[in-house]
Amino acid sequence: MPDTTPEQRLKQLGIVLPTPAAPVANYVAAVISGSSLVVSGQLPLVDGKLLTTGKLGDSVAVELAVEAARYSMVNVIAQVKAAIGDLSRVKRVVRLGGFIACTPDFTQHAAVMNGASDLAVAVFGDAGRHARSTVGVPSLPLDSAVEVEGLFEIG
C-alpha cells in the first residue's frame, strides 16, 4: 500500500468518487486555511439520494448505518478532491466528526462511525488514522441517519 496513491486505492476498492454535493444552505462545502482543509458535513448520498433516513435505535439497523457512514466518507473524500485536485496532497486526516441520528437509548455510535474511519484508513493508509468525535443527535438534515465532517492537513 505505501507505493499506491489514494486514487489508486479508491480504484482498488471499486469506489468512483461522485460529483460533490452542493451546499444546501448558507455555507461552503470546504474551506482551506493555511495547511488545513475543513470539509462540511456530508450525508450518505448515493446517486443523489439518501442511502437511509430515520434514527438508529428505531427504524435504522446498525449495519445499514455503518454503510451510510462509509458513503458519507466517500462524499467527504469527493469534496477533498474537488478542493485540492490531487488526493496525494493529503498529508493527514486529522479529525473526523460523526453525527448519528438516534433514540436517547442508542449507544453504538462508535460502531457506526467506524464505517467512515475504516474507509479513511483504507484510502489514505497511516495518514488516514485520525482523531474522532461521534455524537448522537435528535435529527439531521433531510432526516439522514448519519453525517460526517472532516479536517485534513494538506501540502
Side-chain angles (χ1 to χ4, degrees):
M1 186 152 72
D3 295 339
T4 59
T5 67
E7 278 93 352
Q8 289 168 327
R9 292 183 201 126
L10 284 167
K11 188 174 182 179
Q12 291 167 354
L13 293 166
I15 296 172
V16 176
L17 294 178
T19 300
V24 297
N26 188 17
Y27 64 93
V28 295
V31 171
I32 296 173
S33 180
S35 63
S36 295
L37 168 64
V38 179
V39 176
S40 296
Q42 299 296 303
L43 302 178
L45 294 171
V46 180
D47 297 325
K49 297 181 181 169
L50 282 174
L51 178 65
T52 185
T53 59
K55 292 183 177 31
L56 279 289
D58 182 26
S59 61
V60 179
V62 170
E63 297 77 17
L64 181 56
V66 170
E67 187 178 354
R70 185 176 193 271
Y71 274 105
S72 294
M73 188 64 195
V74 167
N75 292 320
V76 167
I77 295 168
Q79 294 289 0
V80 171
K81 184 161 178 63
I84 64 173
D86 181 356
L87 293 177
S88 294
R89 290 185 56 201
V90 172
K91 291 184 175 184
R92 182 81 193 216
V93 179
V94 177
R95 178 189 177 280
L96 294 179
F99 305 93
I100 313 301
C102 61
T103 60
D105 59 340
F106 182 77
T107 60
Q108 294 179 276
H109 307 79
V112 170
M113 191 56 185
N114 280 343
S117 293
D118 291 348
L119 184 60
V121 174
V123 172
F124 296 104
D126 283 341
R129 298 192 183 284
H130 52 273
R132 179 176 96 177
S133 295
T134 307
V135 296
V137 296
S139 67
L140 287 168
L142 307 177
D143 196 30
S144 180
V146 177
E147 183 174 356
V148 176
E149 64 182 11
L151 172 62
F152 299 80
E153 179 186 359
I154 57 173

